[in-house]
Amino acid sequence: MTLKLTAMALVFGSAAGIVVGLARASRRWWLRLPATLFIGTFRSIPILLQLFFAYYALPLLFHIDVPQYAAATLALSVYCGAYMAEVVRSAVGAVELGQRAGAAALGLNRLQAFVYVVWPQALRVGIPAAVGVYVMTLKDSSLASVIGYLELTGTGVAVREIDPASGSFTVLLGVGGIYFVMAWIISLCGQLLERRLAVPGFGTVRSRRVRSVTTVA
Amino acid sequence: MRIPATIYVEILRNVPLLVIIYILFYGLPSEGVTLGAFQCGVAALTLNGSAYLTEVFRGGLGAIPRGQTEAARSLGLTHRHVLGSVIVPQLFRITFPALGNQVVGLILGSALVSVIGINELTHVSYVIGSHTFRYFEVFVVAGALYLVAVQLINRLWAAAGRKYIRGVTTL
Protein backbone atom coordinates (compact mmCIF):
# COMPACT_ATOMS: atom_id res chain seq x y z
CA MET A 1 0.00 0.00 0.00
CA THR A 2 2.86 2.33 0.81
CA LEU A 3 4.44 1.49 -2.53
CA LYS A 4 1.19 1.93 -4.44
CA LEU A 5 0.47 5.25 -2.77
CA THR A 6 4.01 6.53 -3.22
CA ALA A 7 4.16 5.41 -6.85
CA MET A 8 0.88 7.15 -7.69
CA ALA A 9 1.94 10.32 -5.91
CA LEU A 10 5.30 10.30 -7.69
CA VAL A 11 3.75 9.92 -11.14
CA PHE A 12 1.07 12.59 -10.64
CA GLY A 13 3.39 14.79 -8.63
CA SER A 14 6.19 14.68 -11.20
CA ALA A 15 3.78 15.45 -14.03
CA ALA A 16 2.27 18.36 -12.12
CA GLY A 17 5.71 19.48 -11.01
CA ILE A 18 7.07 19.66 -14.55
CA VAL A 19 4.07 21.63 -15.81
CA VAL A 20 4.00 24.04 -12.87
CA GLY A 21 7.78 24.34 -12.76
CA LEU A 22 7.94 25.29 -16.43
CA ALA A 23 5.13 27.78 -15.93
CA ARG A 24 7.08 29.21 -13.00
CA ALA A 25 10.13 29.65 -15.20
CA SER A 26 8.10 31.19 -17.99
CA ARG A 27 8.53 34.74 -19.23
CA ARG A 28 4.78 35.31 -19.30
CA TRP A 29 3.45 36.69 -16.03
CA TRP A 30 0.00 35.09 -16.37
CA LEU A 31 1.69 31.70 -16.42
CA ARG A 32 4.19 32.58 -13.72
CA LEU A 33 1.77 34.06 -11.18
CA PRO A 34 -0.54 31.05 -10.64
CA ALA A 35 2.49 28.74 -10.57
CA THR A 36 4.16 30.90 -7.92
CA LEU A 37 0.99 30.92 -5.82
CA PHE A 38 0.60 27.15 -6.16
CA ILE A 39 4.19 26.45 -5.11
CA GLY A 40 4.19 28.99 -2.29
CA THR A 41 0.93 27.76 -0.84
CA PHE A 42 1.48 24.03 -0.90
CA ARG A 43 5.04 24.23 0.31
CA SER A 44 4.14 26.41 3.27
CA ILE A 45 1.34 24.26 4.69
CA PRO A 46 2.16 21.02 6.49
CA ILE A 47 1.29 17.93 4.48
CA LEU A 48 -0.73 16.61 7.41
CA LEU A 49 -3.05 19.61 7.23
CA GLN A 50 -3.39 19.16 3.46
CA LEU A 51 -4.28 15.54 4.09
CA PHE A 52 -6.90 16.51 6.65
CA PHE A 53 -8.26 19.04 4.20
CA ALA A 54 -8.57 16.46 1.43
CA TYR A 55 -10.14 13.85 3.68
CA TYR A 56 -12.42 15.88 5.96
CA ALA A 57 -13.11 19.18 4.22
CA LEU A 58 -13.47 18.21 0.54
CA PRO A 59 -16.38 15.77 1.09
CA LEU A 60 -18.29 18.43 3.02
CA LEU A 61 -17.51 21.10 0.47
CA PHE A 62 -18.51 19.25 -2.68
CA HIS A 63 -20.82 16.64 -1.17
CA ILE A 64 -18.79 13.84 -2.63
CA ASP A 65 -17.43 10.68 -1.13
CA VAL A 66 -13.62 10.81 -0.82
CA PRO A 67 -12.13 7.45 0.14
CA GLN A 68 -8.94 7.42 2.21
CA TYR A 69 -6.88 6.21 -0.69
CA ALA A 70 -8.07 8.99 -3.00
CA ALA A 71 -7.56 11.68 -0.34
CA ALA A 72 -4.03 10.46 0.41
CA THR A 73 -3.10 10.24 -3.28
CA LEU A 74 -4.47 13.71 -3.99
CA ALA A 75 -2.75 15.39 -1.06
CA LEU A 76 0.59 13.67 -1.64
CA SER A 77 0.52 14.37 -5.38
CA VAL A 78 -0.15 18.06 -4.89
CA TYR A 79 2.54 18.28 -2.21
CA CYS A 80 5.07 16.35 -4.28
CA GLY A 81 4.12 18.45 -7.32
CA ALA A 82 4.84 21.72 -5.54
CA TYR A 83 8.31 20.54 -4.50
CA MET A 84 9.04 19.05 -7.92
CA ALA A 85 8.05 22.36 -9.52
CA GLU A 86 10.76 24.12 -7.51
CA VAL A 87 13.27 21.47 -8.60
CA VAL A 88 12.30 21.89 -12.25
CA ARG A 89 12.44 25.68 -12.02
CA SER A 90 15.89 25.75 -10.45
CA ALA A 91 17.18 23.09 -12.86
CA VAL A 92 16.00 25.09 -15.87
CA GLY A 93 17.43 28.22 -14.28
CA ALA A 94 20.77 26.48 -13.81
CA VAL A 95 21.27 26.08 -17.55
CA GLU A 96 23.47 28.92 -18.69
CA LEU A 97 21.96 31.76 -20.72
CA GLY A 98 24.70 31.30 -23.29
CA GLN A 99 23.24 27.93 -24.16
CA ARG A 100 19.98 29.55 -25.24
CA ALA A 101 21.84 32.27 -27.07
CA GLY A 102 23.93 29.65 -28.83
CA ALA A 103 20.85 27.72 -29.84
CA ALA A 104 19.25 30.88 -31.18
CA ALA A 105 22.40 31.66 -33.11
CA LEU A 106 22.19 28.23 -34.72
CA GLY A 107 18.73 29.11 -35.97
CA LEU A 108 16.67 27.07 -33.53
CA ASN A 109 13.39 28.63 -32.54
CA ARG A 110 12.50 28.99 -28.87
CA LEU A 111 10.64 25.68 -28.65
CA GLN A 112 13.45 23.78 -30.39
CA ALA A 113 16.03 25.45 -28.19
CA PHE A 114 14.13 24.35 -25.13
CA VAL A 115 13.51 20.77 -26.25
CA TYR A 116 16.95 20.02 -27.71
CA VAL A 117 19.27 22.24 -25.69
CA VAL A 118 17.86 23.40 -22.36
CA TRP A 119 15.73 20.47 -21.24
CA PRO A 120 18.35 17.70 -21.65
CA GLN A 121 20.76 19.71 -19.52
CA ALA A 122 18.16 20.68 -16.94
CA LEU A 123 17.13 17.03 -16.59
CA ARG A 124 20.64 16.01 -15.59
CA VAL A 125 21.08 18.93 -13.22
CA GLY A 126 17.76 18.20 -11.54
CA ILE A 127 18.19 14.48 -10.80
CA PRO A 128 19.78 14.70 -7.32
CA ALA A 129 17.19 17.19 -6.08
CA ALA A 130 14.37 15.16 -7.63
CA VAL A 131 15.62 12.08 -5.77
CA GLY A 132 15.43 14.11 -2.57
CA VAL A 133 11.79 14.96 -3.32
CA TYR A 134 11.00 11.32 -4.11
CA VAL A 135 12.47 10.15 -0.80
CA MET A 136 10.51 12.87 0.98
CA THR A 137 7.29 11.75 -0.70
CA LEU A 138 7.96 8.16 0.34
CA LYS A 139 8.45 9.24 3.92
CA ASP A 140 5.43 11.51 3.93
CA SER A 141 3.23 8.72 2.62
CA SER A 142 3.45 7.46 6.22
CA LEU A 143 1.06 10.29 7.13
CA ALA A 144 -1.77 8.59 5.28
CA SER A 145 -2.00 6.29 8.29
CA VAL A 146 -3.34 9.24 10.29
CA ILE A 147 -6.55 9.36 8.25
CA GLY A 148 -6.88 5.61 8.70
CA TYR A 149 -5.31 4.33 5.50
CA LEU A 150 -3.56 1.05 6.29
CA GLU A 151 -0.15 1.43 4.72
CA LEU A 152 3.16 0.44 6.26
CA THR A 153 3.08 2.75 9.26
CA GLY A 154 -0.64 2.21 9.83
CA THR A 155 -0.12 -1.55 9.81
CA GLY A 156 2.77 -1.26 12.25
CA VAL A 157 0.63 0.69 14.67
CA ALA A 158 -2.36 -1.62 14.15
CA VAL A 159 -0.26 -4.66 15.14
CA ARG A 160 0.26 -3.03 18.47
CA GLU A 161 -3.45 -2.42 18.97
CA ILE A 162 -4.41 -5.98 18.09
CA ASP A 163 -1.70 -7.59 20.20
CA PRO A 164 -0.24 -5.22 22.81
CA ALA A 165 2.13 -7.92 24.05
CA SER A 166 3.91 -8.30 20.74
CA GLY A 167 6.48 -5.68 21.62
CA SER A 168 5.62 -2.64 19.53
CA PHE A 169 9.18 -1.35 19.84
CA THR A 170 10.48 -4.15 17.64
CA VAL A 171 7.59 -3.89 15.19
CA LEU A 172 8.02 -0.14 14.78
CA LEU A 173 11.79 -0.45 14.43
CA GLY A 174 11.09 -2.95 11.65
CA VAL A 175 8.77 -0.44 9.99
CA GLY A 176 11.52 2.17 10.19
CA GLY A 177 13.97 -0.33 8.71
CA ILE A 178 11.71 -0.99 5.72
CA TYR A 179 11.42 2.74 4.99
CA PHE A 180 15.18 3.03 5.26
CA VAL A 181 15.69 0.30 2.67
CA MET A 182 13.09 1.78 0.31
CA ALA A 183 14.62 5.26 0.58
CA TRP A 184 18.04 3.75 -0.01
CA ILE A 185 16.83 1.98 -3.16
CA ILE A 186 15.39 5.25 -4.51
CA SER A 187 18.69 7.05 -3.89
CA LEU A 188 20.58 4.22 -5.56
CA CYS A 189 18.34 4.38 -8.65
CA GLY A 190 18.94 8.12 -8.77
CA GLN A 191 22.69 7.63 -8.69
CA LEU A 192 22.55 4.98 -11.39
CA LEU A 193 20.40 7.21 -13.59
CA GLU A 194 22.76 10.12 -13.03
CA ARG A 195 25.75 8.03 -14.05
CA ARG A 196 23.88 6.57 -16.99
CA LEU A 197 22.87 9.95 -18.37
CA ALA A 198 26.18 11.63 -17.68
CA VAL A 199 27.74 13.11 -20.79
CA PRO A 200 31.54 12.85 -20.75
CA GLY A 201 33.12 16.24 -20.35
CA PHE A 202 29.98 17.93 -19.05
CA GLY A 203 30.19 18.33 -15.30
CA THR A 204 31.14 15.58 -12.93
CA VAL A 205 29.08 12.78 -11.54
CA ARG A 206 28.51 13.57 -7.93
CA SER A 207 29.07 10.56 -5.78
CA ARG A 208 27.08 11.91 -2.87
CA ARG A 209 23.42 12.70 -2.85
CA VAL A 210 22.59 16.35 -2.76
CA ARG A 211 19.39 16.73 -0.89
CA SER A 212 17.64 19.94 -0.14
CA VAL A 213 14.49 19.22 1.72
CA THR A 214 13.04 22.62 2.11
CA THR A 215 14.05 25.50 -0.01
CA VAL A 216 12.68 28.95 0.40
CA ALA A 217 9.39 29.32 -1.41
CA MET B 1 34.30 9.39 14.11
CA ARG B 2 32.87 9.54 10.61
CA ILE B 3 31.15 6.16 10.49
CA PRO B 4 28.83 6.54 13.51
CA ALA B 5 27.94 10.06 12.39
CA THR B 6 27.08 8.82 8.90
CA ILE B 7 24.94 6.01 10.29
CA TYR B 8 23.11 8.42 12.60
CA VAL B 9 22.42 10.92 9.84
CA GLU B 10 21.42 8.40 7.19
CA ILE B 11 19.04 6.48 9.44
CA LEU B 12 17.29 9.55 10.78
CA ARG B 13 17.00 11.13 7.35
CA ASN B 14 15.56 8.07 5.71
CA VAL B 15 12.98 7.07 8.30
CA PRO B 16 9.74 9.10 8.35
CA LEU B 17 9.37 11.54 11.22
CA LEU B 18 5.99 9.96 11.96
CA VAL B 19 7.63 6.56 12.50
CA ILE B 20 10.20 8.13 14.82
CA ILE B 21 7.36 9.71 16.81
CA TYR B 22 5.54 6.36 17.01
CA ILE B 23 8.70 4.53 18.08
CA LEU B 24 9.23 7.00 20.92
CA PHE B 25 5.60 7.21 21.96
CA TYR B 26 4.31 3.66 21.41
CA GLY B 27 7.52 1.65 21.13
CA LEU B 28 9.58 2.79 24.10
CA PRO B 29 6.92 2.02 26.77
CA SER B 30 7.04 -1.67 25.82
CA GLU B 31 10.76 -1.50 26.62
CA GLY B 32 9.99 0.07 29.99
CA VAL B 33 10.72 3.71 29.12
CA THR B 34 7.70 5.99 29.20
CA LEU B 35 7.91 9.56 27.97
CA GLY B 36 5.14 12.13 27.96
CA ALA B 37 3.60 13.19 24.65
CA PHE B 38 5.29 16.56 24.71
CA GLN B 39 8.70 15.05 25.53
CA CYS B 40 8.28 12.57 22.68
CA GLY B 41 7.40 15.36 20.27
CA VAL B 42 10.41 17.43 21.24
CA ALA B 43 12.73 14.42 21.13
CA ALA B 44 11.48 13.28 17.71
CA LEU B 45 11.77 16.75 16.16
CA THR B 46 15.23 17.13 17.70
CA LEU B 47 16.49 13.80 16.36
CA ASN B 48 15.07 14.51 12.92
CA GLY B 49 16.28 18.10 12.76
CA SER B 50 19.75 17.31 14.06
CA ALA B 51 20.32 14.82 11.25
CA TYR B 52 19.39 17.38 8.61
CA LEU B 53 21.45 20.09 10.30
CA THR B 54 24.44 17.76 10.34
CA GLU B 55 24.18 17.48 6.59
CA VAL B 56 23.84 21.25 6.23
CA PHE B 57 27.01 21.84 8.24
CA ARG B 58 28.89 19.07 6.48
CA GLY B 59 28.01 20.64 3.15
CA GLY B 60 29.02 24.05 4.47
CA LEU B 61 32.38 22.79 5.70
CA GLY B 62 33.01 21.23 2.32
CA ALA B 63 32.39 24.59 0.68
CA ILE B 64 35.19 26.32 2.60
CA PRO B 65 38.42 26.12 0.59
CA ARG B 66 41.25 24.18 2.23
CA GLY B 67 43.50 27.16 1.71
CA GLN B 68 41.64 29.01 4.46
CA THR B 69 42.82 26.53 7.07
CA GLU B 70 46.31 26.35 5.61
CA ALA B 71 46.69 30.12 5.49
CA ALA B 72 45.43 30.52 9.05
CA ARG B 73 47.80 27.82 10.26
CA SER B 74 50.75 29.40 8.52
CA LEU B 75 49.89 32.69 10.22
CA GLY B 76 50.56 30.89 13.48
CA LEU B 77 47.02 30.38 14.70
CA THR B 78 46.35 27.37 16.85
CA HIS B 79 43.90 24.70 15.70
CA ARG B 80 41.30 26.02 18.11
CA HIS B 81 41.77 29.54 16.83
CA VAL B 82 41.50 28.43 13.23
CA LEU B 83 38.22 26.74 13.97
CA GLY B 84 36.76 29.57 16.05
CA SER B 85 37.93 32.62 14.15
CA VAL B 86 38.25 31.39 10.59
CA ILE B 87 36.12 28.35 9.89
CA VAL B 88 32.99 28.82 12.03
CA PRO B 89 32.26 32.42 10.95
CA GLN B 90 32.45 31.36 7.31
CA LEU B 91 30.42 28.25 8.00
CA PHE B 92 27.68 30.37 9.50
CA ARG B 93 27.61 32.62 6.46
CA ILE B 94 27.53 29.80 3.97
CA THR B 95 24.84 27.84 5.77
CA PHE B 96 22.69 30.83 6.71
CA PRO B 97 20.02 30.37 3.99
CA ALA B 98 19.90 26.63 4.67
CA LEU B 99 19.39 27.27 8.37
CA GLY B 100 16.33 29.34 7.51
CA ASN B 101 14.96 26.44 5.52
CA GLN B 102 15.55 24.25 8.52
CA VAL B 103 13.44 26.54 10.69
CA VAL B 104 10.63 26.37 8.14
CA GLY B 105 10.98 22.60 7.97
CA LEU B 106 10.68 22.45 11.72
CA ILE B 107 7.42 24.43 11.68
CA LEU B 108 5.97 22.13 9.03
CA GLY B 109 7.24 19.07 10.88
CA SER B 110 5.73 20.23 14.14
CA ALA B 111 2.28 19.55 12.66
CA LEU B 112 3.05 15.85 12.90
CA VAL B 113 3.17 15.72 16.67
CA SER B 114 -0.60 16.31 16.59
CA VAL B 115 -0.96 12.54 16.06
CA ILE B 116 0.10 11.86 19.63
CA GLY B 117 -2.36 14.43 20.94
CA ILE B 118 -0.23 17.51 21.54
CA ASN B 119 -2.33 20.66 21.33
CA GLU B 120 -0.64 22.47 18.49
CA LEU B 121 -2.23 24.24 15.55
CA THR B 122 -3.10 21.21 13.44
CA HIS B 123 -4.45 19.17 16.33
CA VAL B 124 -6.55 22.02 17.71
CA SER B 125 -8.06 22.74 14.30
CA TYR B 126 -8.81 19.04 13.85
CA VAL B 127 -10.58 18.91 17.22
CA ILE B 128 -12.58 22.06 16.48
CA GLY B 129 -13.47 20.68 13.08
CA SER B 130 -14.70 17.38 14.48
CA HIS B 131 -16.85 19.17 17.07
CA THR B 132 -18.44 21.72 14.78
CA PHE B 133 -18.22 19.70 11.55
CA ARG B 134 -16.93 22.82 9.80
CA TYR B 135 -13.69 21.27 8.63
CA PHE B 136 -13.38 23.50 5.60
CA GLU B 137 -13.41 26.81 7.44
CA VAL B 138 -11.16 25.60 10.23
CA PHE B 139 -8.55 24.04 7.96
CA VAL B 140 -8.45 27.06 5.67
CA VAL B 141 -7.75 29.29 8.66
CA ALA B 142 -5.09 26.91 10.01
CA GLY B 143 -3.50 26.67 6.56
CA ALA B 144 -3.47 30.45 6.25
CA LEU B 145 -1.74 30.74 9.63
CA TYR B 146 1.01 28.32 8.56
CA LEU B 147 1.32 30.11 5.24
CA VAL B 148 1.75 33.50 6.89
CA ALA B 149 4.20 32.15 9.47
CA VAL B 150 6.37 30.41 6.87
CA GLN B 151 6.39 33.28 4.38
CA LEU B 152 7.16 35.72 7.19
CA ILE B 153 10.12 33.66 8.34
CA ASN B 154 11.39 33.33 4.78
CA ARG B 155 11.24 37.08 4.19
CA LEU B 156 12.68 38.06 7.57
CA TRP B 157 15.46 35.51 7.31
CA ALA B 158 16.49 36.74 3.88
CA ALA B 159 16.27 40.37 5.02
CA ALA B 160 18.34 39.66 8.14
CA GLY B 161 20.93 37.90 5.99
CA ARG B 162 21.19 40.86 3.65
CA LYS B 163 21.40 43.38 6.45
CA TYR B 164 23.62 41.84 9.09
CA ILE B 165 25.79 39.27 7.43
CA ARG B 166 28.28 40.22 4.79
CA GLY B 167 28.70 37.86 1.91
CA VAL B 168 25.54 35.88 2.43
CA THR B 169 24.25 34.71 -0.90
CA THR B 170 20.53 35.08 -0.59
CA LEU B 171 18.14 33.73 -3.09
Side-chain angles (χ1 to χ4, degrees), chain A residues 86-157:
Chain A
E86 259 320 84
V87 172
V88 170
R89 184 188 66 90
S90 61
V92 170
V95 178
E96 282 175 64
L97 268 177
Q99 295 283 337
R100 281 168 209 256
L106 286 173
L108 273 65
N109 65 34
R110 285 173 45 80
L111 181 69
Q112 286 171 323
F114 184 78
V115 172
Y116 296 116
V117 178
V118 177
W119 184 246
Q121 296 184 56
L123 190 69
R124 287 166 173 83
V125 175
I127 290 176
V131 167
V133 173
Y134 287 172
V135 170
M136 185 192 74
T137 307
L138 167 74
K139 292 196 296 172
D140 286 340
S141 74
S142 66
L143 293 181
S145 67
V146 178
I147 57 168
Y149 185 60
L150 269 188
E151 38 68 80
L152 183 56
T153 308
T155 315
V157 176

Side-chain angles (χ1 to χ4, degrees), chain A residues 8-48:
Chain A
M8 295 284 274
L10 288 189
V11 171
F12 290 135
S14 302
I18 290 173
V19 173
V20 177
L22 291 182
R24 177 77 175 78
S26 165
R27 295 194 308 181
R28 295 175 180 82
W29 68 268
W30 47 269
L31 275 174
R32 212 165 51 226
L33 185 68
T36 309
L37 287 179
F38 176 85
I39 297 172
T41 306
F42 289 107
R43 279 164 45 109
S44 301
I45 297 174
I47 172 72
L48 184 63

Side-chain angles (χ1 to χ4, degrees), chain B residues 104-117:
Chain B
V104 169
L106 198 57
I107 292 183
L108 298 183
S110 74
L112 294 199
V113 298
S114 65
V115 295
I116 53 173

Side-chain angles (χ1 to χ4, degrees), chain A residues 48-49 51-53 55-57 146-148, chain B residues 111 114-115 117-136 138-140 142 146:
Chain A
L48 184 63
L49 195 65
L51 208 58
F52 279 164
F53 190 86
Y55 187 58
Y56 294 111
V146 178
I147 57 168
Chain B
S114 65
V115 295
I118 297 176
N119 275 326
E120 41 68 73
L121 183 52
T122 302
H123 188 249
V124 170
S125 52
Y126 172 73
V127 170
I128 295 175
S130 58
H131 281 317
T132 59
F133 225 60
R134 310 189 76 160
Y135 285 112
F136 179 72
V138 176
F139 286 152
V140 165
Y146 277 113

Side-chain angles (χ1 to χ4, degrees), chain A residues 5 7 16 21 24-25 28 32 45 47 62-63 78 81 90 108 119 132 160 181 195 208 215 217:
Chain A
L5 181 61
R24 177 77 175 78
R28 295 175 180 82
R32 212 165 51 226
I45 297 174
I47 172 72
F62 297 112
H63 303 286
V78 169
S90 61
L108 273 65
W119 184 246
R160 172 185 155 273
V181 172
R195 223 164 287 164
R208 283 197 70 94
T215 351

